[in-house]
């Protein structure tokens, strides 16, 4: 499992107000220095080559219990990511069916309900996921759209942190977060906003500038 933590705030937001509203809805307000920032924690399976649930016959081994993200595929949880089939891993024959997945920006009603459920779960779980990060001792985030900060917690520690996190409200608000930014111009901007920055030094996470 990898954990990606990203921070942002309204005064440094470059996108539209609708995009800010969407991002805020799936974030938690946390302290950083003398400021507050919005924080999003993303938990992603480490299925870099293929999903461990994919069987030798190329069928899903947990099809009836597969997660929401699989049920809405190839649609996106993020409404601002367009469906571009060239960017999907589907084989060409998957796009040759006559089934209509989406038209005029709307999916069919079953798919639409699943997408709604998926987005709501994303919002409902925001505080718990940040609290799990706090229970793991993570306190450095990347700045949204500037860089990724990625952690790879051990499975046993992650399970213990999930137990400790509870509903997330207390742990999420207690942690003082720092932001890892290497670009001098952005560092200056965030410093002026009283946001605490992490040092540019070797760390226990992967730092990947976008
Ligand atoms: S549907 Fe989801 S869980 Fe099943 S094999 Fe595909 S990626 Fe894995």
């Amino acid at each position: 499992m990898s954990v990606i933590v990203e921070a942002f705030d309204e005064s440094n937001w470059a996108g539209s107000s609708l995009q800010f509203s969407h991002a805020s809805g799936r974030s938690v307000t946390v302290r950083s220095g003398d400021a507050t920032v919005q924080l999003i924690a993303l938990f992603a399976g480490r299925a870099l080559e293929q999903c461990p649930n994919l069987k030798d016959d190329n069928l899903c081994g947990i099809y009836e219990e597969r997660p929401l993200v699989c049920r809405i595929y190839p649609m996106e949880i993020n409404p601002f990511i367009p469906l571009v089939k060239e960017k999907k891993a589907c084989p060409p024959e998957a796009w040759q069916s006559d089934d209509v997945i989406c038209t005029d920006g709307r999916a069919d009603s079953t798919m639409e309900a699943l997408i709604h459920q998926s987005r709501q779960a994303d919002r409902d779980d925001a505080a718990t996921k940040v609290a799990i990060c706090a229970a793991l001792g993570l306190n450095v985030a990347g700045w949204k759209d500037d860089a990724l900060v990625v952690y790879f917690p051990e499975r046993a520690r992650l399970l213990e942190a999930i137990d400790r996190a509870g509903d997330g409200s207390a742990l999420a608000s207690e942690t003082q977060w720092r932001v890892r930014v290497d670009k001098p111009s952005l560092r200056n901007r965030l410093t002026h906003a009283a946001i605490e920055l992490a040092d540019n030094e070797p760390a226990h996470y992967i730092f990947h500038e976008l």
Side-chain angles (χ1 to χ4, degrees):
M1 175 72 73
S2 57
V3 179
I4 302 167
V5 192
E6 52 185 15
F8 60 97
D9 73 359
E10 189 163 15
S11 59
N12 290 284
W13 185 260
S16 70
S17 57
L18 276 178
Q19 288 170 318
F20 181 79
S21 172
H22 170 72
S24 293
R26 55 199 293 260
S27 73
V28 178
T29 304
V30 298
R31 285 177 296 139
S32 177
D34 291 328
T36 58
V37 294
Q38 301 306 121
L39 201 79
I40 297 175
L42 305 161
F43 287 56
R46 293 183 69 182
L48 294 180
E49 292 182 356
Q50 76 170 37
C51 175
N53 296 311
L54 189 65
K55 298 187 298 180
D56 290 342
D57 58 6
N58 271 342
L59 296 178
C60 176
I62 57 162
Y63 190 74
E64 294 305 323
E65 291 86 34
R66 68 196 186 285
L68 274 171
V69 68
C70 300
R71 290 172 192 268
I72 67 171
Y73 188 88
M75 314 302 276
E76 297 282 354
I77 295 175
N78 186 331
F80 298 101
I81 298 178
L83 174 55
V84 179
K85 67 180 185 182
E86 289 75 17
K87 292 186 176 175
K88 294 290 178 178
C90 307
E93 56 269 28
W95 301 101
Q96 290 166 3
S97 151
D98 288 335
D99 292 349
V100 176
I101 302 173
C102 175
T103 180
D104 296 334
R106 294 182 70 84
D108 75 41
S109 57
T110 305
M111 178 70 92
E112 201 164 0
L114 286 170
I115 293 170
H116 176 77
Q117 192 183 342
S118 186
R119 289 176 183 166
Q120 189 57 47
D122 199 27
R123 292 187 280 266
D124 292 345
D125 292 345
T128 302
K129 286 190 284 190
V130 171
I132 292 169
C133 292
L136 282 166
L138 315 185
N139 63 0
V140 175
W143 193 252
K144 192 168 176 53
D145 299 330
D146 172 69
L148 297 177
V149 164
V150 188
Y151 298 90
F152 297 100
E154 289 171 5
R155 179 182 165 82
R157 285 194 61 226
L158 179 60
L159 292 175
E160 185 195 351
I162 290 171
D163 278 346
R164 286 182 51 213
D167 72 356
S169 45
L171 267 176
S173 61
E174 282 167 11
T175 303
Q176 176 78 231
W177 284 83
R178 293 177 293 140
V179 178
R180 169 75 186 269
V181 169
D182 284 6
K183 296 186 183 87
S185 58
L186 184 54
R187 282 185 73 85
N188 281 342
R189 275 206 341 255
L190 299 188
T191 300
H192 279 120
I195 293 169
E196 185 178 351
L197 301 182
D199 293 330
N200 305 351
E201 59 188 17
H204 57 298
Y205 53 79
I206 288 177
F207 179 72
H208 176 73
E209 287 193 314
L210 300 173

